[in-house]
Amino acid sequence: MKLNLDPDRKIKIPVDGGKVEFKLKDIMAVPKEKISLKKDFDPDFTGGFDDKAGALRQVAANVDRLAEQQDKLYAQDTYSLLIIFQAMDAAGKDSAIRHVMSGVNPQGCHVTSFKAPSSLELDHDYLWRANLALPARGMIGIFNRSYYEELLVVRVHQDLLAKQKLPPETIDDDIWKRRYKEINNFEKYLSDNGTVVLKFFLNVSKKEQKKRFLARIDEPEKNWKFEPGDVRERGFWKEYQQAYEDLLNETSTPESPWFVIPADNKWFARLAISEAICTALERLDLKYPEVDDARRAELQKIRAQLEAEDK
Ligand code: ATP
Ligand code: MG
């Protein structure tokens, strides 16, 4: 599938009483263009739009659009969709998944959350566990975190590499470059074989993350979400931003580009994510399987039998 990746392409999202309009490059690390996370992407960006309720009504409409596309995806049984979410803690991955996928038939969709690898997983190459979780044809697979952690947490905390049981000669300065290449090759292979890979980096600001951590401490019903370890990782903010910027520059490809979703306003993030998923699926021009004449005749015969039953 080829997405239209013109950086200046206008994204127009209809909302009650008007439309939200911005350029593709406002929410995408356009392949082959070098981006600066800090200069090119504002976590608070909303395309000059501030009607949260209107935006959420459009998200609801997109949820219906997505349900329709998913039904066809499943029926056609040719393509699959892999949606990857990566972000700093409290950027809203979980709630984005919950809201955007709320209309999708649970039988056609599978969410996998990738945590620190188990000892079984460490006994395999790093793409092994991702392979096990890939969506079958007709299915939507969602990765809540992914093999990209290999270029994020593992790069920021390089002591993790030592635990990966890798051949010592492979642990050198080029390991990250090789991983970019391995991942690009992997995604190209998936794309060539019918899996559309969409990648969303939820770009939250340090200030907004602090606000959300404080809410997790102050509001009893959010206490369970708070993990002291998340605050420790916040201490490595700069290192993570650099790791994200590098991976956006190295792994945003024409087959599977990275969306950089402004995440300080959850309503805008949901609008942008739902719009991107619907647009990508609609570009596949999915169709219900065609019924040939013989099959149509058979259906008519069975229909006549059913009609005749009660007589
Ligand atoms: P929640 O919103 O529930 O906290 P989460 O995605 O943060 O969701 P956690 O169980 O808190 O889930 O965190 C998963 C942890 O696993 C993260 O800190 C992440 O960096 C780590 N992790 C994921 N993949 C790897 C990997 N390949 N190597 C090392 N650590 C990893
Ligand atoms: Mg966590």
Side-chain angles (χ1 to χ4, degrees), residues 67-87:
E68 192 187 320
Q69 291 296 318
Q70 188 246 346
D71 200 49
K72 287 186 186 168
L73 181 80
Y74 190 84
Q76 187 172 337
D77 202 17
T78 302
Y79 297 100
S80 55
L81 176 64
L82 173 61
I83 308 175
I84 294 179
F85 286 97
Q86 284 292 160

Side-chain angles (χ1 to χ4, degrees), residues 271-289:
L271 181 65
I273 294 167
S274 62
E275 190 67 27
I277 298 173
C278 288
T279 306
L281 282 174
E282 283 163 3
R283 270 190 94 81
L284 285 177
D285 196 19
L286 300 166
K287 293 204 168 57
Y288 289 107

Side-chain angles (χ1 to χ4, degrees), residues 130-183:
N131 268 291
L132 295 181
L134 287 175
R137 293 191 201 284
M139 299 286 288
I140 299 178
I142 295 173
F143 284 3
N144 183 355
R145 302 186 189 270
S146 66
Y147 42 83
Y148 281 102
E149 291 290 330
E150 297 292 335
L151 295 163
L152 295 164
V153 67
V154 183
R155 194 174 155 199
V156 172
H157 300 286
Q158 299 202 7
D159 52 312
L160 291 172
L161 261 185
K163 298 188 184 136
Q164 295 196 341
K165 299 169 123 189
L166 293 164
E169 65 273 19
T170 66
I171 303 183
D172 56 18
D173 291 345
D174 283 341
I175 189 164
W176 314 113
K177 262 195 219 149
R178 280 201 309 275
R179 288 190 169 183
Y180 295 134
K181 209 165 120 192
E182 286 156 6
I183 288 174

Side-chain angles (χ1 to χ4, degrees), residues 89 93-94 114-117 129 144-146 149-150 153-154 160 164 216 225 227 230 240:
D89 289 298
K93 278 184 288 120
D94 292 15
F114 290 95
K115 314 279 183 186
R129 63 177 183 166
N144 183 355
R145 302 186 189 270
S146 66
E149 291 290 330
E150 297 292 335
V153 67
V154 183
L160 291 172
Q164 295 196 341
R216 287 179 180 188
K225 279 196 206 169
E227 288 188 54
D230 294 353
Y240 273 107

Side-chain angles (χ1 to χ4, degrees), residues 31-304:
K32 299 189 187 87
E33 303 219 345
K34 193 152 173 55
I35 60 105
S36 152
L37 201 44
K38 205 168 168 182
K39 288 195 202 118
D40 299 331
F41 297 99
D42 174 7
D44 197 31
F45 179 82
T46 58
F49 184 71
D50 61 7
D51 177 9
K52 177 177 166 179
L56 290 178
R57 276 193 292 279
Q58 183 58 28
V59 173
N62 282 348
V63 165
D64 291 343
R65 254 169 96 195
L66 181 53
E68 192 187 320
Q69 291 296 318
Q70 188 246 346
D71 200 49
K72 287 186 186 168
L73 181 80
Y74 190 84
Q76 187 172 337
D77 202 17
T78 302
Y79 297 100
S80 55
L81 176 64
L82 173 61
I83 308 175
I84 294 179
F85 286 97
Q86 284 292 160
M88 297 297 285
D89 289 298
K93 278 184 288 120
D94 292 15
S95 66
I97 294 170
R98 192 169 70 242
H99 282 85
V100 172
M101 304 311 290
S102 60
V104 164
N105 181 347
Q107 295 202 76
C109 175
H110 185 66
V111 184
T112 309
S113 298
F114 290 95
K115 314 279 183 186
S118 66
S119 57
L120 172 66
E121 289 165 346
L122 288 173
D123 260 341
H124 292 268
D125 65 276
Y126 68 88
L127 289 174
W128 179 75
R129 63 177 183 166
N131 268 291
L132 295 181
L134 287 175
R137 293 191 201 284
M139 299 286 288
I140 299 178
I142 295 173
F143 284 3
N144 183 355
R145 302 186 189 270
S146 66
Y147 42 83
Y148 281 102
E149 291 290 330
E150 297 292 335
L151 295 163
L152 295 164
V153 67
V154 183
R155 194 174 155 199
V156 172
H157 300 286
Q158 299 202 7
D159 52 312
L160 291 172
L161 261 185
K163 298 188 184 136
Q164 295 196 341
K165 299 169 123 189
L166 293 164
E169 65 273 19
T170 66
I171 303 183
D172 56 18
D173 291 345
D174 283 341
I175 189 164
W176 314 113
K177 262 195 219 149
R178 280 201 309 275
R179 288 190 169 183
Y180 295 134
K181 209 165 120 192
E182 286 156 6
I183 288 174
N184 285 340
N185 288 342
F186 177 62
E187 291 179 352
K188 174 82 169 75
Y189 166 80
L190 292 179
S191 148
D192 287 347
N193 285 278
T195 299
V196 175
V197 186
L198 293 182
K199 306 182 294 208
F200 295 100
F201 164 49
L202 272 55
N203 186 24
V204 74
S205 67
K206 197 172 180 192
K207 197 166 142 221
E208 179 65 21
Q209 190 199 50
K210 178 174 169 181
K211 210 170 119 195
R212 292 183 191 174
F213 280 169
L214 289 174
R216 287 179 180 188
I217 293 169
D218 294 343
E219 297 171 34
E221 65 279 15
K222 288 187 179 168
N223 283 171
W224 67 274
K225 279 196 206 169
F226 183 75
E227 288 188 54
D230 294 353
V231 176
R232 264 196 309 277
E233 288 315 288
R234 178 179 165 81
F236 295 95
W237 189 271
K238 251 175 103 179
E239 289 82 352
Y240 273 107
Q241 294 298 298
Q242 188 60 54
Y244 270 112
E245 182 172 294
D246 290 346
L247 84 77
L248 292 170
N249 277 317
E250 299 292 338
T251 64
S252 199
T253 62
E255 292 79 23
S256 51
W258 270 106
F259 290 90
V260 182
I261 301 292
D264 277 7
N265 302 283
K266 287 189 170 188
W267 58 269
F268 184 79
R270 283 170 206 164
L271 181 65
I273 294 167
S274 62
E275 190 67 27
I277 298 173
C278 288
T279 306
L281 282 174
E282 283 163 3
R283 270 190 94 81
L284 285 177
D285 196 19
L286 300 166
K287 293 204 168 57
Y288 289 107
E290 292 241 351
V291 173
D292 62 16
D293 288 348
R295 173 92 175 131
R296 204 170 294 123
E298 188 194 0
L299 289 176
Q300 286 308 318
K301 206 169 133 197
I302 297 170
R303 186 176 196 289

